[in-house]
Amino acid sequence: MEKKIAIFPGSFDPFTLGHEDIARRGAEIFDELVVSIGINSAKSRYVPVEKMKDIISKSLIDLPNVKVETYQELTSSFAKKIGAKYILRGLRNTTDFEYENTIAQVNNYLNDELETVYLITEPKLAFISSSIVREIHKFGGDVSSFLSY
Ligand code: ADP
């Protein structure tokens, strides 16, 4: 049977405990999971992409079916290129839902073999976002309870 490959795309700037939870749960569902850091040249990052790739790889090193890649193209094109038929995303709240609903339809239009799979966030991690972590870190606050590294 064909291997079920999924990508878990995001900015991961930075990768939080919420992202890690989705990645770990996704790794149990799919044969192979590719955590895919999207590079948007128009947006500057808080943590450089190569540094984040290294951090994510180390955080998930115990999972043999997880890989970390970077990409600089449409998510649907990248998925096709690496043979992934599934996109994994996390859902925290209705704001995420509104956003994801649109994106999933566009991705499906661009590549109709793609199926997006959502995991509902663990309630205790639902309030964590990369932007909040950046904000706290920028002003010297303690972000250790939002990250595993
Ligand atoms: P993007 O820039 O594509 O929104 P993010 O890096 O912010 O990328 O998020 C990537 C994915 O992880 C999204 O599906 C997002 O909903 C999900 N996510 C973000 N934070 C959390 C969290 N605390 N718990 C679960 N999922 C999350």
Side-chain angles (χ1 to χ4, degrees):
M1 216 167 64
E2 201 182 329
K3 267 216 265 178
K4 290 202 185 310
I5 305 174
I7 65 168
F8 178 31
S11 314
F12 306 119
D13 190 23
F15 188 72
T16 67
L17 279 175
H19 294 133
E20 182 165 338
D21 178 58
I22 299 294
R24 289 184 176 278
R25 289 160 63 196
E28 298 230 348
I29 300 171
F30 298 102
D31 295 319
E32 208 177 285
L33 182 73
V34 184
V35 179
S36 305
I37 313 172
I39 301 174
N40 177 351
S41 47
K43 263 205 284 184
S44 69
R45 291 184 61 94
Y46 194 71
V47 184
V49 72
E50 286 306 321
K51 185 169 177 199
M52 195 39 64
K53 185 179 175 192
D54 199 49
I55 287 172
I56 302 173
S57 305
K58 287 190 178 125
S59 307
L60 301 172
I61 199 153
D62 55 307
L63 301 175
N65 62 335
V66 175
K67 282 199 296 193
V68 187
E69 301 283 358
T70 61
Y71 70 103
Q72 199 162 8
E73 62 191 296
L74 286 172
T75 300
S76 59
S77 312
F78 181 65
K80 192 168 195 166
K81 186 155 86 188
I82 65 169
K85 293 205 171 134
Y86 305 90
I87 296 184
L88 175 68
R89 296 284 287 177
L91 280 184
R92 284 166 292 186
N93 46 42
T94 53
T95 313
D96 275 357
F97 174 79
E98 297 285 343
Y99 180 72
E100 296 296 334
N101 192 28
T102 314
I103 302 258
Q105 288 175 32
V106 173
N107 281 335
N108 189 264
Y109 168 79
L110 294 168
N111 174 358
D112 66 6
E113 286 177 6
L114 264 183
E115 195 74 77
T116 308
V117 175
Y118 300 98
L119 291 179
I120 300 285
T121 305
E122 177 88 31
K124 66 176 191 290
L125 303 174
F127 71 96
I128 303 175
S129 70
S130 297
S131 57
I132 284 174
V133 172
R134 289 198 297 271
E135 200 66 13
I136 296 172
H137 189 262
K138 194 162 78 184
F139 293 106
D142 178 15
V143 292
S144 58
S145 50
F146 305 128
L147 312 172
S148 68
Y149 47 90

